[in-house]
Amino acid sequence: GLIDVDQKDCVSLEAIQTPNTKALECSGLTLVDWYLFALDGIKKKLLPVTQYVLADAYFSKKTFADGLLEQGFHLISRFRDDAVLRYPTLDKPTGKKGRPRCFDGKIDFENMEKERFEELDLSMDQGKLYSIIAYSKSLKQMVRLVVWFSQDGRKRKLYFSTDTAMSGKDVIE
């Protein structure tokens, strides 16, 4: 379906039956391969309208994200709660020999460096939102990350887009 974020509406574009596990095994495809194949079949209709594919957390995998990028799409999805994400370095290149440092360390969501994040001012009645461009170890690329914390701070959800130019607000919407 096509989602109009501004109008908060969805229009059905096409319905494609997902093969059962046995049929996928017989064809030598995984579920990720099947959906990439299905999207490839409708990309000529889809790309003139949007470059974004919204998928559930199951599809936040390198093979799916890379396959979408090859087709001209960006992925918007959610990471597992235990995803490994890293802060990009704030250091300037030193000019010394060797590879420059790329990351300042793993993001610890229990003790986040909130000064590195942009707090999003959205009407979220039940929590707070923070946005940052971070490196995803599982996707092996930079992503626009949006972290949602419940009001009591005990729960969190990690949303992302492979389009780092996308705003955190757009990722959540």
Side-chain angles (χ1 to χ4, degrees):
L2 291 173
I3 300 170
D4 184 336
V5 175
D6 298 326
Q7 298 295 319
K8 309 249 188 284
D9 195 15
C10 180
V11 176
S12 179
L13 178 65
E14 191 162 335
I16 303 170
Q17 180 69 41
T18 303
N20 63 27
T21 306
K22 192 172 186 175
L24 284 172
E25 286 174 3
C26 289
S27 64
L29 295 174
T30 65
L31 193 58
V32 167
D33 295 334
W34 167 253
Y35 280 107
L36 286 171
F37 173 74
L39 282 165
D40 192 48
I42 62 169
K43 77 178 180 183
K44 286 183 182 173
K45 289 184 200 175
L46 212 47
L47 279 171
V49 179
T50 185
Q51 62 180 3
Y52 299 106
V53 172
L54 180 65
D56 67 17
Y58 175 83
F59 294 96
S60 61
K61 301 175 185 216
K62 182 173 177 24
T63 54
F64 191 68
D66 288 350
L68 285 179
L69 287 172
E70 286 174 16
Q71 292 182 27
F73 294 107
H74 285 285
L75 175 62
I76 300 172
S77 188
R78 189 173 67 81
F79 283 122
R80 291 172 36 147
D81 293 339
D82 63 351
V84 176
L85 296 143
R86 300 190 187 287
Y87 291 110
T89 188
L90 298 176
D91 297 341
K92 302 285 184 226
T94 62
K96 294 181 182 178
K97 286 184 179 181
R99 183 174 181 214
R101 200 165 114 177
C102 297
F103 312 110
D104 284 343
K106 183 179 171 183
I107 299 174
D108 177 6
F109 293 102
E110 303 300 322
N111 302 301
M112 256 178 24
E113 297 177 31
K114 288 190 180 170
E115 65 275 0
R116 288 182 176 240
F117 288 79
E118 172 192 0
E119 186 170 355
L120 301 178
D121 186 28
L122 298 174
S123 59
M124 292 293 292
D125 297 337
Q126 301 175 348
K128 290 191 173 193
L129 294 165
Y130 298 92
S131 177
I132 190 173
I133 294 175
Y135 179 80
S136 164
K137 184 178 176 184
S138 64
L139 298 181
K140 296 189 179 7
Q141 67 176 319
M142 300 298 276
V143 296
R144 166 64 65 185
L145 175 69
V146 178
V147 184
W148 170 82
F149 286 101
S150 61
Q151 282 182 337
D152 61 9
R154 292 184 183 189
K155 293 183 191 175
R156 73 170 173 271
K157 296 292 177 197
L158 307 172
Y159 301 95
F160 73 93
S161 171
T162 56
D163 180 2
T164 57
M166 181 179 250
S167 73
K169 177 182 182 279
D170 288 341
V171 172
I172 287 298
E173 287 182 344

